[in-house]
Amino acid sequence: MSTTTIIPKRKKNRSFIYFVASLVTALALTWLVKEPTFTDSQVYVFFLLFFSIGLWLTEAIPPFAVALFIMAYLVFALGNPYFNSAPEKIDRYVNTFSSSSIWLLLGGFLLATAMTKTKLDRELLKLTLRISGTKPKNIIIAFMITAMVASMIMSNTATTAMLVAALMPLFIALGGSGLTKALLLGITISATTGGMATIIGTPSNAIAAGILENDGIKIDFLHWMLYGLPVSIALTAVSCFVLVKFFVKDIAPVSPDFLKDKKIEVPKERGFQREIVVAVIIVTVAFWLTSSLHGISVAAISAIPIVFLTVTGIITADDLRTLPWDTLFLVAGGLSLGEALHSTGILEHYAQQMTTMNVGAVAFLFILAYITMIFSNVMSNAAASTVLIPLGFALLPGLEKQVALSVGLSASVAILLPVSTPTNAIVFSTGYLEQKDLRMGGVLIGIVGPLLSVLWVLLVEG
């Protein structure tokens, strides 16, 4: 028997074993942690949480399939009177397909596709390579700095989509090389850490500032940067160093020859389309940058590329069919799981149990920061901040600013899973990364991020 038939069979057997192991582990953990007071919905969601994490970590089935399973499970387990003694309305678990994150991702995907069709991605890549040179180390540094800075003033999701589109010609030329993985991981990490620097960088920052303002403590744009920017720069620098050391050892300079291929020349009939795409990009980015002035959400602004690129015929029906829809399913499923954790009261239940912990204020700040990071890996960082900041206020009176800032910043360092953040979903959708590749950055930033956030906040406030 040839090896080509043995390998797939072994892979199928391994996937089946991982699936069964995830199922048994989830059942065992659910049985161990459930309490007599738990409702049917809470027990079902606990099992779903453990089972989904197991499937994502072991890759027993494709990540998007896990997401679809999550939504189907929630509909049948929580909404069916035959399974649930107190059936719920299940609309919230399937309406995640219409969430702002999905539309923001869709707008970014259309922009990326339009840039590829009109060869704008190659022009951006040429410009970056002229600035950074062809050394892999310099290319990684250049794109990570770009992602970090851009994410301070615009959506990190949009930033990631734009940079991945610009780099796609290089990824195609290099394949799944170490440099390709380093660039993809570097972009998602730096886009995420860059969002920590400003109030508008990520929803968790805005929520933290809003809760503080309701409590009589006002933090303006520049004041937040005093806390967020140093942490953002430090985490980006540490990540860049690790990625360079791990992925670009003994890698030769990148040859720009693939950009000189005659096949990449833009046909004359597409010249006008390129001008339209440039105009759409400028207008979209301008609206993203000024969202705090006009009040239009970054997701709503995504309607600009969605509408104009399709109405003008730049994006066709064939192009729409090639979009990474599996990524949108993945994000929607993650949002459904987060909604279930929040709506069933599981988070509030265990958060309240923390009040019995007999630890000092500083130690509790660290505990709160790391719990925020863990929760944010499987649910919206905005939802995690909304739950945990008020809890911290109640447990640590007089340290409201430290609590809000520590939780707000720590919510942004959850990048362990493809569903942890839309930026992860985008780079994962390229097909050049495996889930295990994301774990390196996820573990690194997950451990160092909350630590630096709390220490810096305490130092500034001390």
Side-chain angles (χ1 to χ4, degrees):
M1 186 179 295
S2 65
T3 57
T4 56
T5 59
I6 294 175
I7 294 176
K9 187 175 181 180
R10 287 179 177 174
K11 186 175 181 180
K12 288 181 180 179
N13 291 338
R14 185 167 62 247
S15 297
F16 177 75
I17 292 172
Y18 286 157
F19 184 90
V20 174
S22 299
L23 176 62
V24 173
T25 302
L27 289 170
L29 288 174
T30 304
W31 183 79
L32 288 172
V33 302
K34 71 174 183 177
E35 300 178 16
T37 58
F38 275 7
T39 65
D40 290 342
S41 293
Q42 289 175 320
V43 174
Y44 286 141
V45 172
F46 245 127
F47 166 76
L48 179 64
L49 173 65
F50 295 136
F51 191 34
S52 300
I53 291 176
L55 292 176
W56 276 324
L57 291 177
T58 62
E59 300 181 67
I61 60 177
F64 79 91
V66 180
L68 292 173
F69 168 77
I70 288 172
M71 287 181 280
Y73 175 94
L74 290 171
V75 168
F76 286 99
L78 272 61
N80 194 320
Y82 293 103
F83 300 131
N84 195 339
S85 58
E88 304 179 15
K89 292 184 63 177
I90 50 84
D91 297 13
R92 70 186 79 178
Y93 304 125
V94 293
N95 286 345
T96 52
F97 275 114
S98 61
S99 73
S100 59
S101 296
I102 297 296
W103 286 101
L104 182 57
L105 278 171
L106 185 59
F109 288 155
L110 289 182
L111 275 176
T113 301
M115 290 174 65
T116 300
K117 286 190 70 174
T118 58
K119 312 303 179 186
L120 278 173
D121 54 352
R122 294 176 182 266
E123 294 300 326
L124 288 175
L125 182 54
K126 285 181 180 179
L127 177 62
T128 304
L129 290 178
R130 279 199 294 267
I131 296 174
S132 66
T134 58
K135 290 185 177 179
K137 175 182 176 181
N138 293 341
I139 294 174
I140 293 172
I141 293 173
F143 275 95
M144 288 189 69
I145 291 175
T146 301
M148 181 189 71
V149 174
S151 295
M152 294 180 187
I153 50 178
M154 63 184 287
S155 161
N156 53 18
T157 303
T159 297
T160 303
M162 298 280 282
L163 291 180
V164 169
L167 278 167
M168 192 54 67
L170 180 59
F171 297 153
I172 293 172
L174 296 177
S177 67
L179 179 56
T180 296
K181 293 186 176 185
L183 282 168
L184 287 170
L185 292 173
I187 288 173
T188 186
I189 291 172
S190 50
T192 301
T193 57
M196 301 170 68
T198 63
I199 289 179
I200 64 173
T202 182
S204 60
N205 293 358
I207 288 172
I211 293 176
L212 280 176
E213 187 171 358
N214 292 337
D215 207 56
I217 304 173
K218 185 172 179 59
I219 292 187
D220 58 25
F221 194 93
L222 292 178
H223 193 189
W224 182 281
M225 291 188 70
L226 175 65
Y227 300 94
L229 182 58
V231 177
S232 172
I233 294 174
L235 289 176
T236 304
V238 169
S239 303
C240 184
F241 176 81
V242 171
L243 291 174
V244 169
K245 287 294 183 181
F246 191 83
F247 285 108
V248 301
K249 248 181 182 179
D250 302 324
I251 292 182
V254 176
S255 172
D257 291 344
F258 68 94
L259 292 175
K260 299 176 181 178
D261 193 331
K262 293 181 181 180
K263 294 182 181 179
I264 70 171
E265 296 296 328
V266 181
K268 292 182 179 180
E269 60 270 18
R270 287 194 178 174
F272 182 61
Q273 288 186 341
R274 173 182 281 196
E275 294 176 0
I276 294 176
V277 173
V278 171
V280 169
I281 291 174
I282 292 174
V283 173
T284 302
V285 172
F287 270 88
W288 274 333
L289 295 178
T290 57
S291 59
S292 60
L293 299 178
H294 50 67
I296 304 175
S297 68
V298 290
I301 295 168
S302 295
I304 296 174
I306 291 173
V307 171
F308 279 93
L309 293 177
T310 53
V311 168
T312 56
I314 296 173
I315 299 296
T316 65
D318 290 336
D319 296 323
L320 288 177
R321 295 187 189 98
T322 62
L323 293 180
W325 294 103
D326 58 329
T327 300
L328 299 182
F329 292 144
L330 182 62
V331 174
L335 292 173
S336 296
L337 178 58
E339 176 62 29
L341 290 169
H342 181 69
S343 64
T344 56
I346 290 177
L347 292 183
E348 289 83 354
H349 172 79
Y350 282 99
Q352 288 299 326
Q353 288 193 350
M354 293 169 58
T355 59
T356 61
M357 298 174 61
N358 186 21
V359 296
V362 173
F364 190 82
L365 270 178
F366 281 108
I367 293 172
L368 201 60
Y370 279 100
I371 288 177
T372 301
M373 179 270 297
I374 293 171
F375 280 175
S376 296
N377 267 298
V378 293
M379 65 179 295
S380 161
N381 58 11
S385 300
T386 302
V387 171
L388 294 174
I389 290 176
L391 172 67
F393 283 8
L395 297 177
L396 297 173
L399 296 176
E400 288 81 3
K401 182 184 285 188
Q402 291 88 332
V403 167
L405 289 166
S406 298
V407 171
L409 293 173
S410 298
S412 294
V413 298
I415 54 174
L416 181 64
L417 302 170
V419 296
S420 297
T421 173
T423 60
N424 271 13
I426 291 172
V427 297
F428 187 74
S429 70
T430 63
Y432 293 108
L433 291 177
E434 300 178 38
Q435 289 198 68
K436 63 182 180 181
D437 296 320
L438 294 174
R439 292 172 204 160
M440 185 183 72
V443 172
L444 174 66
I445 300 300
I447 293 175
V448 178
L451 176 66
L452 286 181
S453 298
V454 175
L455 287 177
W456 182 250
V457 168
L458 291 175
L459 179 63
V460 174
E461 287 298 308

